[in-house]
Amino acid sequence: GGEIYIWNVEDGSEELRIPQAHSDSVCALAFSPDGKRLATGGTDRFVRIFETGLGKELRALEGHTGHVLGVSWQRNGRVLATVGADKAVKIWNLLNGDQKKSFSGFNKEVTSVHFLGIGKQAVVSSGDKMVKVVKEDGGEVRRLPDTDAYMHSSDVTPDGRLAVAGGFDGILRVWDVNAGKLLQKFIAPMEKSEIAAKR
């Protein structure tokens, strides 16, 4: 329904409700580094910036031609990266709302994006079985190994050293980003019915 809710996680109380943030489903959310703004992406193909005090819309960014599936703030709070079902990554200057860069090179949806630490590089995941580190201009830094499924989501630690991603195969993978090395795979335990079927 395009609604956004913000809760106080300590007591579970509702802090803010934005009833018509988007005209369709909301697919992505990210607080700014200072917590004063919220970036959102939706199936209406818009990226919107709200202030978190009263829920006032500050900017509406138009440019994606498909669902917006991921949003990420650069640490300085002045730049936003967005990705979507249009197989594109877009970089926005939030001081004036202009689109700084747009790049593709993906065969399926780009499902998530996260800036690494204080730099300009970001981790992106995509439906074409890929998790990779890219520069702000789209240049590929490295691909993270062992992604043999549609990758739905990812995240990075605040210092940018570790990345995690999950895909259609139900496995969580953790990497050392700088080394490009797979550190751990978390495989979901089998249900009792699955174990019985294998016997």
Side-chain angles (χ1 to χ4, degrees), residues 39-89:
T40 67
T43 58
D44 59 2
R45 300 177 289 186
F46 274 91
V47 176
R48 299 185 189 278
I49 310 295
F50 298 92
E51 58 91 22
T52 54
L54 299 174
K56 178 185 175 184
E57 183 178 304
L58 302 175
R59 287 197 183 279
L61 306 175
E62 188 175 7
H64 280 284
T65 58
H67 300 175
V68 181
L69 302 175
V71 294
S72 179
W73 297 82
Q74 209 171 75
R75 189 67 63 85
N76 60 22
R78 299 191 296 268
V79 175
L80 190 77
T82 63
V83 298
D86 55 2
K87 309 170 190 173
V89 179

Side-chain angles (χ1 to χ4, degrees), residues 5-139:
Y5 298 82
I6 298 177
W7 287 278
N8 182 319
V9 295
E10 291 184 355
D11 60 16
S13 62
E14 184 181 305
E15 294 274 326
L16 180 69
R17 182 183 303 193
I18 308 172
Q20 293 179 320
H22 287 264
S23 62
D24 207 337
S25 301
V26 179
C27 300
L29 298 160
F31 284 107
S32 62
D34 63 8
K36 294 181 179 179
R37 290 170 292 165
L38 180 70
T40 67
T43 58
D44 59 2
R45 300 177 289 186
F46 274 91
V47 176
R48 299 185 189 278
I49 310 295
F50 298 92
E51 58 91 22
T52 54
L54 299 174
K56 178 185 175 184
E57 183 178 304
L58 302 175
R59 287 197 183 279
L61 306 175
E62 188 175 7
H64 280 284
T65 58
H67 300 175
V68 181
L69 302 175
V71 294
S72 179
W73 297 82
Q74 209 171 75
R75 189 67 63 85
N76 60 22
R78 299 191 296 268
V79 175
L80 190 77
T82 63
V83 298
D86 55 2
K87 309 170 190 173
V89 179
K90 296 184 182 294
I91 308 295
W92 307 86
N93 179 343
L94 293 184
L95 297 179
N96 56 21
D98 288 347
Q99 190 179 131
K100 291 175 62 179
K101 295 266 191 316
S102 181
F103 60 90
S104 189
F106 301 89
N107 297 315
K108 291 190 177 179
E109 300 90 342
V110 188
T111 55
S112 70
V113 59
H114 298 282
F115 277 111
L116 290 167
I118 61 173
K120 295 182 178 181
Q121 295 182 358
V123 165
V124 295
S125 66
S126 67
D128 50 359
K129 304 179 181 180
M130 200 183 309
V131 179
K132 64 181 181 178
V133 180
V134 296
K135 298 177 184 176
E136 198 179 66
D137 63 2

Side-chain angles (χ1 to χ4, degrees), residues 129-194:
K129 304 179 181 180
M130 200 183 309
V131 179
K132 64 181 181 178
V133 180
V134 296
K135 298 177 184 176
E136 198 179 66
D137 63 2
E140 183 176 313
V141 178
R142 72 181 57 84
R143 293 191 186 190
L144 300 180
D146 193 48
T147 55
D148 51 4
Y150 186 113
M151 302 307 291
H152 282 287
S153 61
S154 69
D155 205 350
V156 297
T157 52
D159 61 9
R161 294 176 61 189
L162 300 178
V164 60
F168 189 72
D169 56 5
I171 299 172
L172 282 176
R173 296 167 172 85
V174 181
W175 296 273
D176 178 318
V177 175
N178 292 326
K181 180 183 176 184
L182 180 68
L183 300 177
Q184 186 72 48
K185 288 170 74 169
F186 296 96
I187 301 171
M190 285 193 294
E191 298 287 337
K192 290 179 181 178
S193 58
E194 292 177 300

